[in-house]
Amino acid sequence: MSATAADPVGTPRGGGSSGAVLEIEDLHVTFKTEDGPVYAVRGVDLAVHESEVLGVVGESGSGKSVTMLAAMGLLPKSATISGSVKFRGEELLGREQSDVRHYRGSKIAMIFQDPLTALNPVLKVGDQIAEAVLAHNDMSQNQAYAKAISLLDQVGIPQPATRASQYPHEFSGGMRQRAMIAMAISNDPEVLIADEPTTALDVTIQAQILEVIQEVQAATKSAVVFITHDLGVIARLATRVRVLYAGRSAEVGTVDDIFENPGHPYTVGLMSSIPRGDGSRLRPIPGSPPNMLAPPSGCAFRPRCKYSAEICEMEVPMLRVVGKHDQLAACHFSEQLMGHWDMDA
């Protein structure tokens, strides 16, 4: 792949990888709107391997959810998609929806951000989970419903048989999210995508849901892609991290490497926004994410970056190896600045 303005990031080490369970290469997603095309994803590469937890991090509008919805085949017809999405080497993009449905739910499943809208309000929770089971298994309705009760029990819902006969509005927010997790794992998927599943929950419930996901991942050995804007969550769950900004990869690496020595100023900004427990003041990233109707030239983070220079306006930075263990960053000044970031500046 060439490194052009539209496709700045090739597939170096840590990007795509043969042997990955799910592999995304040079993914572009553009939405048609009345105001013009929105360039939501611009050449993202991503790979998730057996039994690992990959964190995908970035602010709203960075392309996190759109990337994974494209992989699931769940984007609307207004989206133009190009690139490659492979599950165990088999291409999914461009296939008939009937073929993609074979993978969706059974091989790749998703925990959605808002369970209240993802669950059908007029169907009982147990029936909805049983329906997901029946979609990919040859069994009776009674067997599927029994499995639904077992799944509710697995994700920690008390009195699962009673709860299975209730409607989503009778569940608390945390219980609805647990029910969504139960539905997502109902067919033992090999890849589980969690799309900011704790965003709408209070801190105590968030911790419980994260614990459930950890337990499920340990029990099923599935690969997990955890989408979030919170690096604190990633520090707890993930083994590797991919930071997205304005539809492109800003940084890729292990959790330890990135937290010890981040290679991109955007990653530093996200880390500076994490409460540190020492009484220090949170320091938000100045400015706002770019308008993807007209992304800025050069480095998209340039208008918000205190390290910006002329080259940042003229050239899109390549994602390249900048640290230990194939840590990658798309910043012109990573080598000079790694180890010297000032998070309190």
Side-chain angles (χ1 to χ4, degrees), residues 295-318:
S297 61
C299 176
F301 190 62
R302 167 180 54 81
R304 308 172 71 184
C305 181
K306 67 179 180 179
Y307 302 100
S308 177
E310 184 177 357
I311 189 175
C312 303
E313 183 176 358
M314 303 300 295
E315 295 182 18
V316 176
M318 293 286 292

Side-chain angles (χ1 to χ4, degrees), residues 286-339:
S288 302
N291 180 354
M292 299 310 291
L293 283 165
S297 61
C299 176
F301 190 62
R302 167 180 54 81
R304 308 172 71 184
C305 181
K306 67 179 180 179
Y307 302 100
S308 177
E310 184 177 357
I311 189 175
C312 303
E313 183 176 358
M314 303 300 295
E315 295 182 18
V316 176
M318 293 286 292
L319 192 69
R320 63 188 187 281
V321 178
V322 296
K324 299 181 296 183
H325 311 129
D326 290 350
Q327 182 180 350
L328 311 172
C331 175
H332 293 299
F333 300 106
S334 291
E335 291 86 354
Q336 297 97 309
L337 298 173
M338 286 182 76

Side-chain angles (χ1 to χ4, degrees), residues 124-134 139-166 171 175 178-179 181-183 185-187:
K124 295 176 181 178
V125 171
D127 290 335
Q128 295 187 56
I129 298 174
E131 183 179 8
V133 173
L134 289 169
M139 61 175 63
S140 69
Q141 181 73 42
N142 288 339
Q143 289 173 319
Y145 193 82
K147 183 171 183 178
I149 294 173
S150 175
L151 287 163
L152 290 174
D153 182 55
Q154 183 178 343
V155 297
I157 291 183
Q159 299 179 309
T162 300
R163 290 296 187 176
S165 65
Q166 295 180 331
F171 280 39
M175 288 176 63
R178 288 172 187 260
I181 296 172
M183 188 179 297
I185 66 172
S186 61
N187 294 294

Side-chain angles (χ1 to χ4, degrees), residues 8-69:
V9 179
T11 313
R13 291 172 291 172
S17 170
S18 60
V21 183
L22 179 67
E23 185 173 14
I24 297 172
E25 293 184 344
D26 194 26
L27 183 70
H28 293 255
V29 180
T30 304
F31 292 99
K32 296 177 182 178
T33 73
E34 293 181 356
D35 297 321
V38 175
Y39 303 98
V41 177
R42 304 184 293 162
V44 165
D45 297 316
L46 180 152
V48 59
H49 299 83
E50 299 269 3
S51 303
E52 82 162 337
V53 180
L54 172 68
V56 180
V57 186
E59 294 169 284
S60 297
S62 62
K64 310 181 303 296
S65 297
V66 173
T67 295
M68 302 318 301
L69 288 170

